[in-house]
Amino acid sequence: MKLAEALVRRADSQKKIAQLRQRLERVVKVQEGETPAEDPAALIVELEQTLAEQTSWVRKINKTNAATPFNAELSISDALAERDRLMQHRKLLAELLEQASIKQDRFSRSEVRFERTVDVVQLQARVDALSKAYREMDFRIQEMNWTTDLIEK
């Protein structure tokens, strides 16, 4: 099995857990004299099995990511951490850029005037460079997910 397939199965188990939680919330309490639409005990058993399945997928995925080289310096786990850093850095700078770009409307001369303290063009260039680096790294990670065999032990 390839790593990408395991990632899909992990995502499926996460969705199933969310659905089971919703189903349980609907049946854990009913009006006096009524019966629940589904058996809560059976749903709890299914939830526990799905949680165990998800844990198994997470362990295998983590083991594979840690043991698989991304490049000469990084494992896939390291590359995922770097990709997350790029995304966070880009998001923070994009938010700053948005704040610096907001026009302050003044209705009279006595109102406070605001001035930018950052170079918007330079900041946009950094956001663009981080976006490109993120896309390139994400593409390479996705590519590796489809070519890397999952460590099943």
Side-chain angles (χ1 to χ4, degrees):
M1 172 183 293
K2 296 298 182 188
L3 179 56
E5 295 172 75
L7 291 166
V8 168
R9 291 189 183 189
R10 181 192 64 185
D12 288 345
S13 67
Q14 289 170 331
K15 290 174 191 168
K16 186 175 180 181
I17 290 166
Q19 290 168 350
L20 287 166
R21 179 176 170 248
Q22 290 174 344
R23 289 167 58 193
L24 274 163
E25 287 174 356
R26 290 193 296 259
V27 299
V28 293
K29 195 167 41 169
V30 294
Q31 285 186 358
E32 188 176 345
E34 298 213 3
T35 57
E38 295 184 83
D39 179 14
L43 289 174
I44 290 171
V45 168
E46 188 177 354
L47 175 65
E48 290 169 349
Q49 290 170 344
T50 307
L51 285 166
E53 180 183 304
Q54 180 190 28
T55 300
S56 175
W57 288 121
V58 168
R59 285 181 177 159
K60 291 173 185 177
I61 290 165
N62 288 348
K63 187 179 288 187
T64 303
N65 285 342
T68 305
F70 179 76
N71 60 25
E73 298 92 31
L74 305 175
S75 68
I76 292 179
S77 288
D78 297 332
L80 290 167
E82 179 62 18
R83 182 189 67 179
D84 290 348
R85 183 196 66 78
L86 289 168
M87 179 175 52
Q88 186 176 23
H89 190 177
R90 185 223 166 273
K91 181 180 177 193
L92 289 168
L93 291 182
E95 289 169 356
L96 285 174
L97 184 61
E98 186 176 325
Q99 287 298 315
S101 300
I102 293 175
K103 183 180 178 189
Q104 300 289 330
D105 293 326
R106 287 181 25 187
F107 299 102
S108 70
R109 288 183 183 199
S110 63
E111 288 186 66
V112 176
R113 182 176 173 200
F114 293 94
E115 295 179 353
R116 289 183 189 95
T117 59
V118 295
D119 182 343
V120 172
V121 173
Q122 181 185 23
L123 198 55
Q124 183 63 59
R126 288 179 69 193
V127 168
D128 292 344
L130 287 166
S131 296
K132 181 180 180 189
Y134 174 87
R135 282 190 310 274
E136 290 171 352
M137 180 162 278
D138 187 58
F139 177 78
R140 178 82 170 99
I141 290 169
Q142 298 303 322
E143 179 182 50
M144 289 193 73
N145 287 343
W146 286 105
T147 59
T148 301
D149 290 321
L150 184 69
I151 297 173
E152 303 257 359
K153 297 176 188 176

